[in-house]
Amino acid sequence: MTKSELIAKLAERYPQLVRRIVDGGHELASHGYGHQRASDLDENAFFADIDASRKLLEDISGRQVKGYRAPSFSI
C-alpha cells in the first residue's frame, strides 16, 4: 500500500480516531481523500477528491468539515 492509499484509508479504517478528535473539541478539516497534490489534478478530479473526503469525515464524525489544506502546500 502506498503512502497516499494509507492516508486515504486512515479515517475509514479507524473512524473511532476521527470521533475522538472531534469529541476532544478539535476542529475538523480535510487534507484530501487521495492525498494528491491539488496542482496535479484537473478541476473535476480536485473537486471529487475534496468532496469524497468531506463526505467521509462528516459521515463519521457527525460534524461539519471546517477547512482544507492542500497536500504539499500545492495551492
Side-chain angles (χ1 to χ4, degrees):
M1 180 176 285
T2 67
K3 180 180 176 183
S4 292
E5 290 168 332
L6 179 62
I7 292 168
K9 301 295 180 186
L10 187 63
E12 291 172 327
R13 286 182 153 192
Y14 306 104
Q16 70 278 11
L17 291 178
V18 175
R19 288 190 286 271
R20 282 182 60 194
I21 289 167
V22 297
D23 289 347
H26 298 279
E27 182 178 275
L28 184 61
S30 172
H31 200 43
Y33 186 86
H35 201 261
Q36 297 169 283
R37 293 175 55 85
S39 56
D40 292 343
L41 301 173
D42 65 29
E43 184 176 349
N44 290 334
F46 172 73
F47 283 110
D49 181 74
I50 61 173
D51 192 48
S53 176
R54 180 189 57 80
K55 286 179 181 177
L56 174 66
L57 293 171
E58 289 180 350
D59 286 348
I60 290 170
S61 69
R63 308 263 177 96
Q64 182 181 18
V65 170
K66 301 270 185 168
Y68 170 79
R69 185 183 68 79
S72 303
F73 300 98
S74 55
I75 292 182

